[in-house]
Amino acid sequence: MASYDRMMNLKMNIDAESTEQDIVADDDKDNIQNIREIFELDRFVEELSTFNIDRAVSSGSIGSGSGTMSAEVNYIGTFTTGEQILFSKYYSAVVFNAGEKKVIEVTADKLSQGDVIVFTKKNDYTRNIADIIFDQLKNNNRLDGKITKASFLAAYWKKCLLNYKESHNLSYKALTESLKKHNGITVQGQTVRQWLVPESHIIGPRNENVIIAIGKLVGDENMISNSSDYFNACRTVRHYRREILSMIAQAINDSLSMNRPAPGSPFEIVYKNIENLSDMFEIETIHELDKAITVNANMVNKPISLDEMEMLL
């Protein structure tokens, strides 16, 4: 901001209108005060046009109320179109790289200015567009039988562990300690939490011994005896999700070039999602909050318009 540069120059006794050797005279105090006022006004106007998350949370307008689903937010961003976004802690955004013509999943701490995020118009804070497309392919019987079975097994271990946690009223720390007692595995509480929170995109553990330990903890003999089936199922689903990301990239490129897929193909579902049910937004700014906050889940992981912000504040 020009006024900011002038202010900084004056603070260092350098006149922005003169050469580097010219020193601001003592009798220029009025001029300095005028520039200071301009700088403060510019900053005030800029803050008015920016979503003040601290003000929103302190007012309780997007805080987590009783009886509502909540999400922990640690990053906030703005888009070039003016919308803003609150990123929940374990969410992964689907990012389209136009130069390389590919799509990848990126956590908020790895996002940067210029990244283009693909959103579904039917927002679900726990899921991104890759999750939704996977479910549509499964529900429409467009997946290979092997992948369908793998998706069941990959979800089963997580469901068992979550049910165990809730039925025994355990904290994530207590659940982690219980897991460590089985099979001598080493696992961190943060990792266990990331396995189970709704918005996480973790498919499964990277170590088969963890599957065995979970089976022992929850008392599931099938999971213990056939741990390799569960472990390999997670690998299968993980691989197919990468294929879906590739299909999303192809669908975006085809949509831009007006190429349509063959009717009835699995790719047609991906294409229709991109063409009719998705939006793309380019990040202008993103920064980490000094302290994570808990907000209503329906306000995270989606673009928030200026009108929505005004309703909140």
Side-chain angles (χ1 to χ4, degrees):
M1 198 180 301
S3 59
Y4 178 85
D5 292 336
R6 291 196 301 271
M7 186 65 180
M8 292 300 101
N9 287 338
L10 286 168
K11 282 185 176 181
M12 294 184 294
N13 293 328
I14 300 174
D15 188 350
E17 301 290 330
S18 64
T19 64
E20 293 182 0
Q21 290 76 24
D22 292 334
I23 305 301
V24 177
D26 291 339
D27 58 1
D28 278 345
K29 291 182 179 179
D30 289 341
N31 184 44
I32 294 175
Q33 180 60 29
N34 288 338
I35 292 177
R36 181 180 290 112
E37 291 175 356
I38 292 172
F39 170 64
E40 294 297 333
L41 179 60
D42 283 349
R43 187 171 62 181
F44 177 70
V45 171
E46 183 176 331
E47 288 179 352
L48 282 179
S49 63
T50 303
F51 180 39
N52 189 323
I53 189 170
D54 294 324
R55 180 155 52 93
V57 172
S58 63
S59 69
S61 54
I62 63 171
S64 176
S66 60
T68 62
M69 291 188 67
S70 62
E72 189 176 352
V73 170
N74 58 349
Y75 277 85
I76 179 173
T78 62
F79 296 109
T80 55
T81 47
E83 291 85 354
Q84 305 206 17
I85 184 169
L86 310 174
F87 289 105
S88 62
K89 190 171 183 178
Y90 299 105
Y91 183 76
S92 293
V94 173
V95 175
F96 174 62
N97 186 318
E100 298 183 12
K101 296 185 177 181
K102 69 177 185 180
V103 164
I104 58 174
E105 286 185 294
V106 183
T107 53
D109 60 312
K110 299 295 192 301
L111 291 170
S112 58
Q113 183 182 30
D115 284 343
V116 177
I117 303 179
V118 185
F119 293 98
T120 175
K121 293 178 181 177
K122 294 182 178 179
N123 182 67
D124 178 344
Y125 92 99
T126 66
R127 324 181 58 176
N128 61 29
I129 194 168
D131 298 315
I132 291 171
I133 289 175
F134 186 93
D135 279 353
Q136 287 185 2
L137 290 169
K138 182 171 64 176
N139 295 337
N140 285 277
N141 298 316
R142 300 293 181 87
L143 294 179
D144 181 270
K146 177 184 176 181
I147 299 172
T148 300
K149 180 181 178 180
S151 68
F152 172 80
L153 294 178
Y156 181 79
W157 72 269
K158 185 179 294 189
K159 181 179 179 181
C160 288
L161 188 59
L162 184 59
N163 287 342
Y164 183 89
K165 174 184 179 296
E166 293 177 346
S167 64
H168 289 77
N169 196 27
L170 298 177
S171 66
Y172 283 106
K173 181 179 180 180
L175 180 62
T176 303
E177 292 303 317
S178 296
L179 272 172
K180 287 180 178 179
K181 294 176 183 177
H182 295 81
N183 240 35
I185 64 168
T186 301
V187 62
Q188 301 299 318
Q190 183 77 357
T191 301
V192 175
R193 180 184 179 90
Q194 195 168 358
W195 288 345
L196 300 180
V197 292
E199 68 267 35
S200 173
H201 300 282
I202 299 297
I203 304 300
R206 300 278 183 168
N207 187 330
E208 186 177 337
N209 287 333
V210 175
I211 297 290
I212 296 173
I214 293 172
K216 289 181 177 180
L217 179 65
V218 303
D220 192 302
E221 291 297 328
N222 185 273
M223 200 184 303
I224 299 169
S225 303
N226 300 290
S227 58
S228 60
D229 291 344
Y230 290 87
F231 183 70
N232 290 328
C234 293
R235 295 177 63 180
T236 297
V237 173
R238 203 177 289 122
H239 174 77
Y240 193 72
R241 273 183 60 86
R242 288 195 294 268
E243 287 191 14
I244 288 178
L245 293 175
S246 296
M247 287 193 285
I248 290 173
Q250 183 182 341
I252 293 173
N253 291 314
D254 283 356
S255 179
L256 294 174
S257 59
M258 303 301 289
N259 292 329
R260 302 190 67 84
S265 67
F267 183 62
E268 184 181 28
I269 289 180
V270 181
Y271 185 92
K272 286 182 176 179
N273 270 275
I274 295 302
E275 185 179 42
N276 303 318
L277 301 175
S278 69
D279 285 318
M280 293 191 290
F281 292 82
E282 180 181 344
I283 293 178
E284 183 171 47
T285 63
I286 183 169
H287 70 268
E288 185 177 10
L289 298 175
D290 293 334
K291 182 180 180 181
I293 60 169
T294 300
V295 304
N296 288 341
N298 62 357
M299 294 310 303
V300 303
N301 305 329
K302 68 175 183 179
I304 306 172
S305 69
L306 293 174
D307 289 341
E308 288 175 307
M309 286 183 231
E310 289 176 359
M311 292 175 63
L312 291 173
L313 303 178

